[in-house]
Amino acid sequence: MEEQYRETALGRGIQFIGIGKHGSKDLPEGLVTDILLELQSGKADPLQMGVFFGALMAKGVAPHEYRLEEFLGEGTLTDPVRLYRKLCGDTPEHLSETGVKILSKETLDPAGAQQLGDYLLSDLPGEAYRGMAASMLRIRYETDEEYQGLIRAAEETYTEGFRTRVVPPRPLIQLAEPFDGVEHSYLITPLLAQFLGEQGYTVVSTTGRSGGPKLGLNLPGLYNALPGSYLERNEQLLQPLPPYGWALRQQDFSPALDAWTERRRRMLKRPFLATMEKVLNPCGASILITSVFHITYLEKMITLAGMTGFTGVIVLKRGLEGTLAPSVARASGILCAARQPDGAWKTHTIAADTEEFAAFRSAQDAVVEPLRPEDNLSLIHLFTDNGHTGNEDFDKRVNLAKALYGSGAEWVNSRLKVVSGK
């Protein structure tokens, strides 16, 4: 389905200008013509229409792009109110103030962001509005205040089984990496969950259907073939830990978030949900282990994790394809954080290129082609049974991850015990 949306004129326009805060380019004149014809045909997808015009307003309109006013009406691209009315006429009236603010590049306070989030996760009409809002937020980056409101809205969608909190007999760690998985590297997350379980933790790995851009191997593709371990309600956390920890599907704790999967594929560009969904905490875990590819998001992940109740955070930088698998060749490491009584975070960095981890380093990271789920599963089972697989790259990566996260969890847990007085 995604391919057909890539081939529309609006889809090509989204891919061209929906790049980001500092990378957008003006549309080629021929593409402006194609988009205008598609809009005038009446067959344009409303969600893509919203995504496109959100990206256009975030970028700024070039002189030749004003030709699109042949569809919108003269003066519309310089008047956010008129543009909103043209695009979002089917949206409930009470959302118009927020919509105009977004098109005007204004930020929202927590209450306004929660109102927006409540709407985005509802079944009310207005697909162009949804696309426009998600596009604008993604490109200009959400503020902390906006994340507060969006997170509160997402938490309101939790199913009954995840509204009741339980206290497992062991500290609860949540593993979270991008739901879209990988294209040319193996996932090692189940082995990390197994290792942390052996270290005395209860472990939950959050998973979900891929909204793109990668649509190949992701965590559900592995957990579906591993021993029964899907968490359907928090009470299960009191049961014995499965061999590879618990796996938590987005569709089980928030069908409203899962419903965005198809929209995200049609939008073609990853929206704000990709960051927010990793820090949601429906199980009430105390420690989050997550990853970022862009170094600028290291501190951001700690801030967001604090909004959802985590008191300890471990963030891997430059994991392979953004996952929890560390690079054995490039500069990498983890940032650890423990929340103090005054709300501040005490942090500690562990670099992966020190002498302590030298045995796990290589000259380069392997590129796996073809990447097959059955091969990944075979390696997981071999490592579980023997402690090694014969695949040097895989073995070094798992052992480096165990050493890094083991050290990080020990540091965080010791600081949390100091804080709690235990």
Side-chain angles (χ1 to χ4, degrees), residues 244-262:
Y244 298 101
W246 294 104
L248 173 62
R249 293 178 293 201
Q250 188 179 74
Q251 67 199 63
D252 290 331
F253 75 84
S254 177
L257 278 169
D258 176 71
W260 265 80
T261 303
E262 303 305 328

Side-chain angles (χ1 to χ4, degrees), residues 58-77:
K59 174 185 78 69
V61 186
H64 70 282
E65 293 167 346
Y66 281 98
R67 277 195 63 207
L68 297 171
E69 289 188 343
E70 293 178 30
F71 166 74
L72 297 168
E74 186 176 353
T76 303
L77 288 176

Side-chain angles (χ1 to χ4, degrees), residues 316-352:
L316 174 71
K317 62 179 180 180
R318 293 199 183 100
L320 288 191
E321 301 189 61
T323 70
L324 293 174
S327 169
V328 295
R330 290 181 284 112
S332 185
I334 56 175
L335 175 63
C336 310
R339 196 157 208 169
Q340 305 302 291
D342 62 357
W345 292 92
K346 185 177 182 64
T347 60
H348 174 62
T349 299
I350 302 176

Side-chain angles (χ1 to χ4, degrees), residues 59-218:
K59 174 185 78 69
V61 186
H64 70 282
E65 293 167 346
Y66 281 98
R67 277 195 63 207
L68 297 171
E69 289 188 343
E70 293 178 30
F71 166 74
L72 297 168
E74 186 176 353
T76 303
L77 288 176
T78 55
D79 186 339
V81 174
R82 289 182 61 188
L83 180 58
Y84 177 84
R85 289 174 179 165
K86 178 67 177 181
L87 292 177
C88 306
D90 60 343
T91 304
E93 180 59 34
H94 72 279
L95 292 157
S96 60
E97 182 179 352
T98 299
V100 171
K101 279 186 177 181
I102 295 170
L103 279 172
S104 302
K105 303 182 185 179
E106 296 179 28
T107 59
L108 306 178
D109 61 19
Q114 181 166 354
Q115 180 194 55
L116 173 65
D118 289 339
Y119 167 68
L120 294 177
L121 296 170
S122 74
D123 56 3
L124 293 172
E127 289 300 281
Y129 187 112
R130 287 184 171 90
M132 176 274 295
S135 180
M136 287 287 284
L137 289 174
R138 173 195 169 273
I139 289 173
R140 67 162 169 76
Y141 303 151
E142 305 84 343
T143 66
D144 289 348
E145 290 74 18
E146 287 169 336
Y147 269 122
Q148 288 177 22
L150 293 168
I151 285 170
R152 295 290 88 81
E155 290 173 338
E156 289 296 318
T157 69
Y158 289 173
T159 56
E160 190 63 33
F162 294 96
R163 291 180 178 269
T164 301
R165 294 292 172 85
V166 300
V167 181
R170 310 190 302 174
L172 181 55
I173 286 181
Q174 177 174 304
L175 304 182
E177 59 195 350
F179 290 178
D180 62 356
V182 288
E183 292 179 319
H184 49 74
S185 59
Y186 288 123
L187 288 167
I188 65 170
T189 317
L191 291 172
L192 298 180
Q194 181 186 63
F195 165 72
L196 291 165
E198 293 169 349
Q199 298 301 301
Y201 297 95
T202 298
V203 188
V204 172
S205 297
T206 55
T207 74
R209 294 189 297 149
S210 173
K214 292 175 283 188
L215 297 170
L217 174 62
N218 64 355

